């Protein structure tokens, strides 16, 4: 455990990143409010994130309740769960095989392998560590039931497996993996025991006997239910749209290459990235042929050794079987592969390696432990370095852009980081790079338009938004942003038309209601403007800008009492809203309450000394009477 904590200690200094972390934590209003009866109900029913994983949501809710939104504690909880997984793994393998050192080495490989950094250092992947921890506990309860048959062990295994699936559907293959353990090391069946030395076993002998299937039927039923719920959730959230456009042959080819790539990165974990983009073209035939040859050779070798070294076959089949649900035959998202997908599958190769080294050490003495320790130390150092790349958006996506090709998501995310830092020209270049790779990426096109607008190029932003609308005119947000750009360019008539188009698609679009109201108010159509402000306030009573603008319009129309009421509502939510305090002073003047108005102006100036209108109004109130003079807060 100490090695695990030392390797991943750097996560405490990392922040949240803009990819999925806002969905799971930073910008999720349900999660930001912490644990409550309401949020529990939401966690049990939502499919946000294109999955149904209520236990993961509860975990995040509990963290926010305990720690707020400071990233460090959230990362440390994930690290603690990862360390718990490593401990659970070594205990399970020791109980399973009766040997300690191979179990400890396999667990150590799992604990410090660089491919597992993503599952630990990415706050949004809390679901990985939770799902595996409960999967290992479920496997341990199943093992107790094998050795001491009792209903309570089977029930415990089922309940723990259900909790794993409620964290993430990743371990749906667990019942199949337990069948492999029935072969080795438990010896409850063998696909090779009766086969002649130079012959192949019969097909029936390759399959576990029916009693072993029957005892796992509840686990298979839970896995099937989780798989169906996941498919519905992902289809309902549009997560499968990218894959549906790809021919099955293309997906199958990518799956084969991904399997080979995972193997390469297991032994040579270089060029790891948060996102591996799906290739824009079909892979070269030689690339696919090479991957197929590698997989076929390994399969042939472990099959030949299965009688004498069954742990090799079990480890290999564990790797293949655990990866099948995530290999992309049913494509979810636009990634070609992902490091996090190896979190459960790599237990198989680590198991095979550990017991092979234990066997080799009998003949080669201290050489094998020395080599194993060196490899473990190297993996730990590489993992520590990889943790550093997860510090923030610039480091994690900068690394992805450096070690992958055509990474449109990395370029888009680096553009967003530049936008947040106020480097709008750099952001625009990043967005252009993303669009050069993937011209259909509407998000990057919208981001480019926003960067151009922020950079003081409204005409270029207008052209960018109009290009987006030629591809997809269904989004209210695009019309709203076009309206903002048109208003910045002085085209208020066209801006109003864009805001109206946004409201046709989303009648309660708050900013469109407010901005269209401002245009109408400036054009002397205050009654229509006030109607729009009222719609915005009715849709969201906490929307301060529309409420403030409604107060200004009411004051101009002579309804000082109504204006004062609106300003007081704004200040109830935000007592430091200086312009609202000054505007309240204006309304109080109109109501004939000069002393209260003067107090309001003094408060406004204490909050914002630049409010010259409030300063002038206060000077008039403190000096000789000047009837008919009032301050201005706008």
């Amino acid at each position: 455990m100490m090695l695990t904590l030392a390797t991943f200690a750097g996560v405490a200094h990392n922040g949240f990143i803009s990819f999925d972390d806002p969905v799971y934590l930073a910008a999720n209003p349900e999660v930001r409010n912490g644990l409550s009866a309401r949020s529990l109900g939401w966690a049990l029913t939502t499919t946000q994130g294109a999955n149904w994983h209520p236990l993961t949501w509860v975990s995040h809710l509990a963290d926010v309740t305990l720690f707020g939104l400071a990233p460090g504690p959230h990362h440390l909880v994930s690290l603690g769960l990862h360390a718990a997984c490593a401990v659970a793994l070594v205990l399970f393998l020791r109980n399973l095989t009766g040997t300690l050192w191979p179990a400890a080495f396999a667990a150590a490989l799992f604990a410090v392998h660089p491919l597992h950094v993503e599952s630990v250092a990415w706050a949004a992947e809390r679901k990985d560590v939770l799902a595996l921890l409960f999967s290992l506990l479920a496997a341990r309860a199943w093992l107790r039931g094998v050795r001491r048959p009792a209903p309570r062990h089977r029930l415990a295994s089922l309940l723990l497996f259900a909790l794993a699936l409620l964290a993430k559907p990743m371990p749906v293959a667990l019942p199949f993996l337990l069948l492999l353990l029935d072969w080795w090391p438990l010896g409850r069946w063998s696909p090779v025991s009766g086969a002649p030395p130079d012959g192949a076993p019969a097909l029936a002998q390759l399959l576990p006997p029916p009693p072993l299937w029957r005892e796992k039927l509840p686990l298979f039923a839970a896995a099937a239910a989780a798989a169906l719920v996941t498919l519905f959730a992902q289809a309902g959230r549009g997560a499968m749209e990218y894959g549906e456009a790809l021919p099955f042959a293309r997906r199958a080819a990518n799956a084969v290459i991904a399997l080979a790539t995972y193997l390469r990165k297991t032994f040579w974990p270089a060029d790891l990235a948060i996102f591996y983009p799906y290739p824009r073209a079909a892979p070269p035939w030689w690339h696919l042929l090479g991957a197929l040859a590698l997989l076929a050779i390994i399969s042939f070798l472990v099959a030949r050794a299965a009688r004498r070294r069954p742990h090799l076959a079990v480890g290999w089949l564990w790797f293949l079987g655990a990866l099948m649900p995530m290999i992309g035959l049913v494509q979810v998202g636009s990634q070609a592969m992902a490091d996090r997908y190896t979190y459960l599958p790599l237990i198989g190769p680590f198991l095979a390696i550990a017991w092979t080294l234990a066997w080799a050490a009998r003949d080669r003495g201290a050489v094998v432990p020395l080599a194993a320790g060196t490899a473990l130390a190297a993996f730990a150092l590489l993992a520590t370095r990889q943790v550093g790349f997860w510090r923030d958006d610039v480091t994690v996506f900068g690394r992805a852009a450096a070690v992958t090709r055509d990474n449109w998501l990395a370029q888009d995310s680096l553009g967003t980081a530049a936008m947040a830092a106020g480097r709008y020209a750099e952001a625009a270049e990043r967005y252009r790079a993303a669009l050069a790779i993937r011209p259909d990426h509407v998000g990057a096109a919208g981001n480019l338009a926003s960067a151009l607008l922020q950079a003081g190029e409204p005409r270029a932003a207008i052209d960018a938004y109009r290009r987006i609308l030629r591809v997809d005119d269904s989004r209210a947000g695009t019309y709203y942003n076009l309206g903002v750009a048109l208003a910045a360019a002085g085209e208020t008539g066209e801006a109003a038309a864009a805001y109206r188009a946004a409201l046709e698609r989303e009648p309660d679009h708050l900013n469109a209601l407010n901005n269209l109201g401002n245009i109408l108010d400036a054009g002397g159509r205050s009654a229509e403007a006030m109607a729009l402000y009222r719609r915005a306030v009715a849709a969201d009573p906490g929307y301060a800008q529309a409420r403030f603008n409604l107060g200004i319009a009411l004051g101009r129309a002579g309804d000082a009492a109504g204006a004062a009421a609106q300003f007081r509502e704004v200040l109830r939510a935000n007592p430091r809203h200086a312009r609202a305090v000054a505007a309240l002073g204006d309304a109080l003047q109109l109501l004939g309450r000069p002393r209260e108005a003067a107090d309001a102006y003094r408060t406004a100036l204490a909050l914002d000394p630049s409010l010259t209108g409030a300063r002038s109004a206060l000077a008039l109130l403190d000096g000789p009477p000047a009837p008919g003079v009032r301050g201005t807060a706008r």
Side-chain angles (χ1 to χ4, degrees):
M1 177 178 284
M2 294 306 297
L3 178 62
T4 309
L5 297 177
T7 300
F8 287 88
V11 297
H13 307 294
N14 291 356
F16 296 134
I17 61 170
S18 62
F19 189 24
D20 278 0
D21 281 354
V23 174
Y24 281 89
L25 279 161
N28 188 316
E30 296 289 346
V31 176
R32 288 172 65 94
N33 290 329
L35 201 56
S36 66
R38 182 183 182 281
S39 63
L40 280 174
W42 171 83
L44 289 169
T45 56
T46 186
T47 57
Q48 192 169 355
N51 270 305
W52 184 64
H53 38 38
L55 186 60
T56 293
W57 289 121
V58 171
S59 172
H60 287 307
L61 287 164
D63 276 7
V64 170
T65 300
L66 292 171
F67 313 119
L69 286 168
H74 291 264
H75 290 311
L76 288 175
V77 170
S78 292
L79 172 54
L81 290 168
H82 175 64
C85 286
V87 172
L89 181 59
V90 69
L91 294 176
F92 173 65
L93 292 178
R94 182 186 180 184
N95 291 341
L96 183 70
T97 63
T99 55
L100 174 60
W101 290 112
F105 184 67
L109 285 173
F110 165 86
V112 303
H113 200 280
L115 279 173
H116 291 167
V117 169
E118 182 169 290
S119 295
V120 183
W122 191 357
E125 287 307 313
R126 169 70 59 80
K127 47 188 178 283
D128 282 358
V129 290
L130 272 176
L132 184 62
L133 179 59
F134 282 107
S135 296
L136 291 170
L137 295 175
R140 192 174 185 190
W142 163 81
L143 181 61
R144 287 176 179 170
V146 168
R147 291 180 172 156
R148 300 178 189 174
R152 69 178 184 277
H153 296 312
R154 292 187 180 182
L155 179 60
S157 179
L158 178 61
L159 291 176
L160 290 165
F161 183 47
L163 289 172
L165 296 172
L166 291 176
K168 186 179 181 178
M170 169 186 71
V172 289
L174 183 64
F176 294 97
L177 305 181
L178 297 181
L179 286 170
L180 293 175
L181 300 182
D182 280 329
W183 168 20
W184 181 89
L186 296 179
R188 302 175 77 196
W189 71 287
S190 175
V192 295
S193 59
D198 56 352
L203 178 61
Q205 190 177 334
L206 289 172
L207 300 175
L212 299 184
W213 290 92
R214 283 196 297 269
E215 74 175 21
K216 298 176 184 63
L217 280 178
L219 301 179
F220 279 112
L228 287 174
V229 170
T230 300
L231 287 174
F232 281 120
Q234 291 173 341
R237 291 283 181 167
M240 302 173 71
E241 291 178 359
Y242 186 88
E244 289 170 351
L246 296 170
F248 180 78
R250 178 86 178 277
R251 283 178 273 146
N254 183 75
V256 170
I257 292 171
L259 281 170
T261 306
Y262 285 133
L263 279 176
R264 174 175 61 81
K265 289 181 181 292
T266 298
F267 293 95
W268 190 260
D271 297 342
L272 306 184
I274 183 176
F275 182 79
Y276 302 96
Y278 212 95
R280 290 192 283 175
W285 66 268
W286 55 266
H287 197 176
L288 177 59
L289 189 62
L292 281 170
L294 175 65
L295 299 178
I297 290 169
I298 295 174
S299 299
F300 173 75
L301 292 176
V302 298
R304 280 184 61 104
R307 182 188 297 276
R308 294 177 297 108
R309 303 282 178 260
H311 58 271
L312 293 174
V314 168
W316 177 238
L317 293 173
W318 179 297
F319 173 74
L320 296 177
L323 264 175
M324 277 303 112
M326 301 170 284
I327 202 61
L329 296 176
V330 178
Q331 179 69 24
V332 177
S334 53
Q335 70 284 338
M337 53 181 284
D339 295 350
R340 61 189 177 275
Y341 291 166
T342 67
Y343 199 60
L344 169 63
L346 281 188
I347 291 175
F350 295 156
L351 180 151
I353 291 168
W355 266 265
T356 298
L357 291 177
W359 165 73
R362 298 170 189 168
D363 299 327
R364 291 167 178 80
V367 174
V368 172
L370 181 62
T374 302
L376 195 63
F379 284 153
L381 290 172
L382 289 172
T384 299
R385 179 171 180 261
Q386 187 66 21
V387 166
F389 290 127
W390 284 84
R391 183 172 297 273
D392 54 36
D393 276 7
V394 173
T395 54
V396 74
F397 291 110
R399 178 65 175 172
V403 300
T404 62
R405 297 180 59 188
D406 295 336
N407 200 324
W408 56 269
L409 180 66
Q411 295 294 344
D412 183 48
S413 300
L414 287 169
T416 301
M419 278 279 284
R423 301 192 302 271
Y424 303 121
E426 177 189 338
E429 288 307 307
R430 291 290 188 179
Y431 294 138
R432 288 191 181 100
L435 289 168
I437 299 167
R438 188 175 169 185
D440 65 337
H441 185 31
V442 174
N447 291 339
L448 172 60
S450 297
L452 292 169
L453 184 60
Q454 292 292 332
E457 302 180 48
R459 294 291 177 187
I462 291 167
D463 292 340
Y465 284 126
R466 283 177 170 156
R467 282 195 299 272
I468 297 170
L469 289 171
R470 284 194 287 270
V471 176
D472 179 5
D473 66 351
S474 65
R475 299 171 185 265
T478 308
Y479 277 103
Y480 167 75
N481 290 331
L482 174 61
V484 172
L486 286 163
E491 304 287 347
T492 55
E494 291 187 52
Y499 292 140
R500 292 187 193 279
L503 291 170
E504 288 174 6
R505 288 154 180 80
E506 187 180 329
D508 288 337
H509 193 295
L510 300 179
N511 290 333
L513 287 167
N514 181 69
N515 288 12
L516 179 57
N518 289 343
I519 290 174
L520 295 176
D521 193 31
R525 299 160 66 179
S526 59
E528 294 175 67
M530 284 191 283
L532 291 168
Y533 296 143
R534 291 185 194 278
R535 277 176 57 186
V537 170
D540 182 1
Y543 186 35
Q545 190 59 51
R547 193 178 286 280
F548 175 82
N549 289 338
L550 175 59
I552 294 292
L554 287 168
R556 188 182 299 112
D559 185 0
Q566 296 300 326
F567 298 138
R568 285 194 171 100
E569 285 298 317
V570 172
L571 294 170
R572 191 191 309 276
N574 180 13
R576 300 187 63 81
H577 194 304
R579 293 171 63 216
V581 179
L584 178 60
D586 293 345
L588 291 169
Q589 273 210 78
L590 290 172
L591 290 169
R593 294 151 67 178
R595 182 171 298 178
E596 294 176 60
D599 289 341
Y601 291 138
R602 290 189 186 97
T603 302
L605 289 168
L607 293 170
D608 185 356
S610 69
L611 292 175
T612 56
R615 189 177 300 281
S616 299
L618 179 61
L620 289 170
L621 285 172
D622 288 342
V629 179
R630 55 188 288 263
T632 174
R634 288 184 87 175

